[in-house]
Amino acid sequence: MTDLHNPISGTSTESSRSPRRLLLKTPVTEEFLHALEAELVTIFLERFAAYRDRILPPKLYAWLLSTLKYLGIFGLGLSLLSFYLGGSIVYSVRLDMILISIFSVLCVLFWDKKKIVERHTAMTARVWAWSAKKRAGNMLRKARKALPFCAEYDFRDDVVAYYRITDKASVLAWTRTIKHWRITGHYATLLFKKKTSMYPYIMILHAPSAELDSYLDELGIQSISQN
């Protein structure tokens, strides 16, 4: 990418504020990115958990497990009764024996609801942990290659330009329009297109900044609760 001159990079103020304008600088080191990666993993895991609870609420999940268990018990009872009464044969196949096998499997699989939930939780936790770690690493790949540098953001109304400044050059990384929703962390603010989005479309690197929070509030960018 061609190096671009950033007219604001010469200012000695760490961050200055004017109406509908904000200049924000953050030194980025290996330690900073390491802490940010851990924070991103935590945020993504919380987003995954929220998604799970939306598509399959815990109460509904428990109800489904109980329903399958009692369906297995009821079906097994009817199948055993059919077997006792002589059963039925279709094309030389004992249907009652097949049904006994099917409903017996249901009973075995869904008998202990607590163990099912524990196994499912452990399995999904491993998958989510891998996915969150992978996503966080991908989001920070370019930043790691540029270390150390200064992340400089020039906010003008609802548009922000991000400059990655090193000893050799000042590079314009991207320019974006900011809106919708946000999650504010200790090392970054993430912007999402929807309240239920899994991943952000913008990540702003920064130390804790009341100025940035106030600026985003003025723009009407609402905060997403992680609870």
Side-chain angles (χ1 to χ4, degrees), residues 17 20-22 24 153 155-160 176-185 188-192 201-204 206 209-223:
R17 181 72 191 278
R20 313 296 285 183
R21 176 82 184 274
L22 177 66
L24 185 67
Y153 298 89
F155 295 84
R156 305 190 187 201
D157 290 324
D158 62 346
V159 176
V160 56
R176 299 283 190 277
T177 299
I178 54 177
K179 51 186 176 180
H180 307 304
W181 299 84
R182 79 180 191 266
I183 292 178
T184 301
T189 291
L190 309 179
L191 299 181
F192 297 82
Y201 68 94
I202 289 179
M203 178 173 62
I204 301 170
H206 63 83
S209 173
E211 287 183 300
L212 178 58
D213 287 338
S214 177
Y215 189 88
L216 296 178
D217 285 338
E218 288 183 15
L219 291 178
I221 300 177
Q222 300 182 58
S223 182

Side-chain angles (χ1 to χ4, degrees), residues 8-17 22-26 150 152-153 211:
I8 68 174
S9 62
T11 179
S12 60
T13 304
E14 187 69 11
S15 62
S16 60
R17 181 72 191 278
L22 177 66
L23 308 180
L24 185 67
K25 289 184 178 182
T26 301
C150 178
E152 183 169 297
Y153 298 89
E211 287 183 300

Side-chain angles (χ1 to χ4, degrees), residues 7-45:
I8 68 174
S9 62
T11 179
S12 60
T13 304
E14 187 69 11
S15 62
S16 60
R17 181 72 191 278
S18 60
R20 313 296 285 183
R21 176 82 184 274
L22 177 66
L23 308 180
L24 185 67
K25 289 184 178 182
T26 301
V28 180
T29 62
E30 180 65 38
E31 293 76 17
F32 181 95
L33 286 190
H34 181 74
L36 172 57
E37 183 176 24
E39 183 172 73
L40 289 175
V41 169
T42 298
I43 291 174
F44 291 149
L45 288 176

Side-chain angles (χ1 to χ4, degrees), residues 108-163:
V108 171
L109 290 178
F110 298 101
W111 187 264
D112 193 334
K113 181 168 63 178
K114 182 179 179 180
K115 286 186 177 180
I116 295 173
V117 172
E118 289 175 349
R119 286 197 298 266
H120 182 256
T121 300
M123 180 184 68
T124 55
R126 289 192 295 270
V127 174
W128 289 350
W130 177 86
S131 180
K133 181 74 174 177
K134 183 73 172 178
R135 184 70 180 190
N138 288 340
M139 289 178 63
L140 300 177
R141 185 186 300 122
K142 291 183 179 180
R144 289 194 186 282
K145 291 181 179 179
L147 286 174
F149 66 92
C150 178
E152 183 169 297
Y153 298 89
D154 181 6
F155 295 84
R156 305 190 187 201
D157 290 324
D158 62 346
V159 176
V160 56
Y162 168 41
Y163 295 87

Side-chain angles (χ1 to χ4, degrees), residues 40-186:
L40 289 175
V41 169
T42 298
I43 291 174
F44 291 149
L45 288 176
E46 291 172 346
R47 302 301 288 166
F48 295 159
Y51 174 75
R52 174 203 61 198
D53 291 344
R54 284 197 306 272
I55 63 172
L56 187 59
K59 288 185 178 180
L60 176 59
Y61 183 41
W63 178 83
L64 287 174
L65 293 178
S66 296
T67 299
L68 289 171
K69 172 184 174 180
Y70 290 113
L71 176 62
I73 295 173
F74 180 73
L76 181 59
L78 288 181
S79 300
L80 290 173
L81 178 61
S82 176
F83 176 78
Y84 177 77
L85 296 176
S88 58
I89 300 176
V90 178
Y91 297 110
S92 301
V93 176
R94 290 288 300 270
L95 291 181
D96 53 329
M97 297 302 295
I98 294 177
L99 292 175
I100 287 174
S101 300
I102 292 174
F103 289 118
S104 294
V105 170
L106 276 179
C107 287
V108 171
L109 290 178
F110 298 101
W111 187 264
D112 193 334
K113 181 168 63 178
K114 182 179 179 180
K115 286 186 177 180
I116 295 173
V117 172
E118 289 175 349
R119 286 197 298 266
H120 182 256
T121 300
M123 180 184 68
T124 55
R126 289 192 295 270
V127 174
W128 289 350
W130 177 86
S131 180
K133 181 74 174 177
K134 183 73 172 178
R135 184 70 180 190
N138 288 340
M139 289 178 63
L140 300 177
R141 185 186 300 122
K142 291 183 179 180
R144 289 194 186 282
K145 291 181 179 179
L147 286 174
F149 66 92
C150 178
E152 183 169 297
Y153 298 89
D154 181 6
F155 295 84
R156 305 190 187 201
D157 290 324
D158 62 346
V159 176
V160 56
Y162 168 41
Y163 295 87
R164 192 177 292 122
I165 303 172
T166 65
D167 293 337
K168 297 181 180 179
S170 173
V171 177
L172 175 62
W174 47 254
T175 300
R176 299 283 190 277
T177 299
I178 54 177
K179 51 186 176 180
H180 307 304
W181 299 84
R182 79 180 191 266
I183 292 178
T184 301
H186 189 78

